[in-house]
Amino acid sequence: MKPFRSRCLALASVLAAGAALSAARPQYGGTLRAEVDTPVSSLDPASAPSEPGQETTRTRLATLLFESLTAIEPDGLRPVLATSWQADVRGTHWRFRLRSGVVLHDRTTLEPWQAAAAIRHSEPAWTVNPDGDSIAIDTGEPVADLPWLLADGRHAIVIRAAGGALIGSGPFRIDHVEPSRLLLKAHEGYWRARPFVDAVQIELGRKLDMQLTDLEGGRTDIVNVRATDVRRLTRRGLRVEASRPLELVALIFEPHRAADSAIAWRRALAATINRDAIGAVVLQGQAAPARAILPEWISGYTQVVAPAEGPTLAAPAIAALPIDQRTVLLRVDPADAVTQAIADRLAVDAREAGFTVKVQAPVGLAPRADARLIRLAVPATTADRAFAETAARLTVRGWPAITLPGGTTLDATYRAEQTLLDRLIVVPIVHLPELYGVSERVGSSLYPAARAIGGWDLADLWLQGGRP
């Protein structure tokens, strides 16, 4: 019996290895199911979002449909629909040579005049014309980093056909649109290679808790995941994929707490923040401690950003403060479980130093807060553009008045950010990646579902077993 059992085990091992190899081999066919938490009124990248939160979701969907002349990757800029570019000395006149033979979703070939019309639509102030196999762009004012600017999704090459149809060159094309559902079909003539799946069905406006339940129940394949839910998914054997850090979580003091006379008080409170514990414990290892506005992979100078130095308050001085100065009302978004979890940890750490932090998550009127815990998307672009856009979003929220760099050099951006941090009105806490939960039936080759700079890369995913 023993030799017979050994031969059976050997045969079983060979069969199992063959099955595993087959499961790992890319397969064509099937419908990939995904869910997002925000409905989208328009897929046109150049249109203004009608509701808060729509821009991120629309960008994620639009990258599946439309492509830009260039694209930003963690290691720099790469050509997409443009193969090369050149500019005059001032950076006002540019010429972008287009990739030849790009097939659009309507099976026609992309022409330079169509690309020029798309750029004119997104930037009416520019003069854009076809020029042989290229397009010529006159910006008027010098734009030294125009190829980086054109990588932004709103400058995607979108052909606006009669009747309002949107035609692109991406790996998927629009098949059917409903208020709560979007169906995309594989673009057979995609210039890089046809996607593995036949279609992608996306449920819109699905709440995060429902997405998580659907993934665990096998009813969907890709969902948004909060950092606080990662351990729950991994324990069930589901994989979680992450982008580079793309969001800033920061403490912002309200104007009545932001005077220069209160900087020692702010410094004492900021010193209680345990960023490492928040990232490792509260956010389950899915966050990077943030001591600067921009993530290190964007700016490259985070390690030399100096902490704000100056007088602070010792424990006896804090204990001697009036009760209204020892009590801090911290406001968070009632719909954001991540910032609420961070706020609870901030309250615990501040208590050790003598402060009392009371967390507010109001849905209506509430007492005036002393500080807010906010999340801001940091655009994946050059450091100066990323800082300028993030600073503008901070200003829109009411604080602080931020002086932007006087130039586009990295040194100017560093000095502007250091000046902002020295005021201790904005206190960075962590940088968060985009997180996605992926079902067991999804396979991938060289590229994961989560793009490094945010959004989805679904063209390289396949379904185990192919067509259902």
Side-chain angles (χ1 to χ4, degrees):
M1 290 295 292
K2 186 174 287 187
F4 176 73
R5 181 181 302 164
S6 299
R7 286 193 294 272
C8 289
L9 289 174
L11 179 60
S13 298
V14 171
L15 293 174
L21 182 61
S22 176
R25 184 181 299 123
Q27 302 168 65
Y28 284 94
T31 297
L32 184 72
R33 305 160 300 174
E35 296 181 357
V36 296
D37 58 340
T38 309
V40 178
S41 57
S42 172
L43 291 171
D44 189 339
S47 65
S50 59
E51 296 180 13
Q54 280 199 4
E55 184 175 0
T56 300
T57 298
R58 185 181 62 189
T59 299
R60 187 183 311 162
L61 302 179
T63 54
L64 304 175
L65 306 167
F66 313 111
E67 296 177 299
S68 301
L69 297 179
T70 59
I72 296 172
E73 299 292 348
D75 56 354
L77 196 68
R78 69 173 174 86
V80 184
L81 294 183
T83 58
S84 63
W85 48 86
Q86 58 186 16
D88 63 1
V89 176
R90 296 184 63 240
T92 58
H93 180 74
W94 290 79
R95 190 172 184 269
F96 290 80
R97 175 169 291 177
L98 296 185
R99 187 178 300 278
S100 63
V102 173
V103 178
L104 298 170
H105 294 159
D106 62 356
R107 300 181 181 178
T108 63
T109 301
L110 176 65
E111 300 289 344
W113 68 267
Q114 294 173 308
I119 298 298
R120 280 199 302 271
H121 184 89
S122 61
E123 289 287 353
W126 295 348
T127 300
V128 189
N129 292 299
D131 181 10
D133 61 354
S134 307
I135 61 172
I137 303 177
D138 285 297
T139 59
E141 296 295 324
V143 183
D145 60 347
L146 184 62
W148 289 83
L149 177 60
L150 291 178
D152 190 285
R154 66 190 179 92
H155 296 305
I157 304 303
V158 181
I159 314 304
R160 295 167 177 83
L166 302 176
I167 300 171
S169 62
F172 297 93
R173 59 178 176 83
I174 300 172
D175 183 79
H176 187 69
V177 180
E178 297 177 10
S180 60
R181 179 174 295 173
L182 175 65
L183 181 63
L184 309 179
K185 289 294 183 68
H187 178 23
E188 299 287 345
Y190 185 45
W191 62 274
R192 291 182 61 189
R194 180 202 187 277
F196 289 110
V197 298
D198 291 334
V200 179
Q201 179 176 292
I202 303 168
E203 302 294 330
L204 307 172
R206 195 82 170 150
K207 294 184 181 300
L208 292 177
D209 288 335
M210 298 174 70
Q211 290 186 42
L212 201 62
T213 301
D214 288 345
L215 182 67
E216 292 176 319
R219 293 181 292 275
T220 192
D221 299 310
I222 299 179
V223 301
N224 302 281
V225 174
R226 295 169 296 213
T228 49
D229 294 323
V230 166
R231 192 171 293 121
R232 168 180 166 180
L233 287 180
T234 55
R235 284 174 177 170
R236 294 181 65 92
L238 297 168
R239 78 175 189 259
V240 175
E241 296 186 2
S243 70
R244 293 288 182 95
L246 289 169
E247 269 193 310
L248 169 70
V249 178
L251 185 70
I252 297 189
F253 290 98
E254 296 289 353
H256 67 283
R257 294 291 197 184
D260 290 344
S261 59
I263 192 168
W265 178 87
R266 295 197 300 275
R267 187 175 289 110
L269 185 60
T272 68
I273 299 174
N274 189 335
R275 293 173 176 83
D276 293 327
I278 290 172
V281 180
V282 178
L283 302 179
Q284 302 177 15
Q286 302 300 316
R291 292 170 176 82
I293 302 295
L294 300 183
E296 170 68 20
W297 73 273
I298 291 179
S299 71
Y301 59 61
T302 301
Q303 300 300 321
V304 298
V305 171
E309 297 180 351
T312 187
L313 300 178
I318 295 173
L321 290 173
I323 190 169
D324 65 313
Q325 293 189 39
R326 284 185 281 116
T327 302
V328 182
L329 295 182
L330 176 60
R331 183 165 297 175
V332 299
D333 183 345
D336 188 352
V338 171
T339 53
Q340 289 185 46
I342 295 173
D344 290 340
R345 176 62 193 234
L346 293 179
V348 171
D349 292 338
R351 188 183 306 127
E352 296 295 323
F355 291 101
T356 300
V357 174
K358 297 181 178 180
V359 180
Q360 296 179 339
V363 293
L365 295 176
R368 181 177 66 172
D370 297 300
R372 286 173 288 163
L373 201 58
I374 64 162
R375 289 173 66 173
L376 287 179
V378 179
T381 182
T382 58
D384 59 301
R385 288 191 179 278
F387 180 74
E389 291 187 34
T390 306
R393 292 169 185 169
L394 288 168
T395 302
V396 165
R397 292 171 176 261
W399 267 103
I402 297 170
T403 302
L404 299 181
T408 58
T409 65
L410 189 62
D411 181 64
T413 303
Y414 161 73
R415 285 186 281 105
E417 181 166 355
Q418 184 69 71
T419 300
L420 170 63
L421 296 175
D422 286 344
R423 296 182 65 190
L424 280 169
I425 296 172
V426 178
V427 181
I429 298 177
V430 291
H431 287 122
L432 294 173
E434 290 183 4
L435 296 171
Y436 302 105
V438 183
S439 75
E440 296 173 327
R441 76 177 195 136
V442 176
S444 63
S445 53
L446 297 176
Y447 304 100
R451 298 173 65 217
I453 63 165
W456 292 331
D457 182 2
L458 306 186
D460 293 296
L461 304 184
W462 71 87
L463 301 177
Q464 309 285 1
R467 290 178 173 83

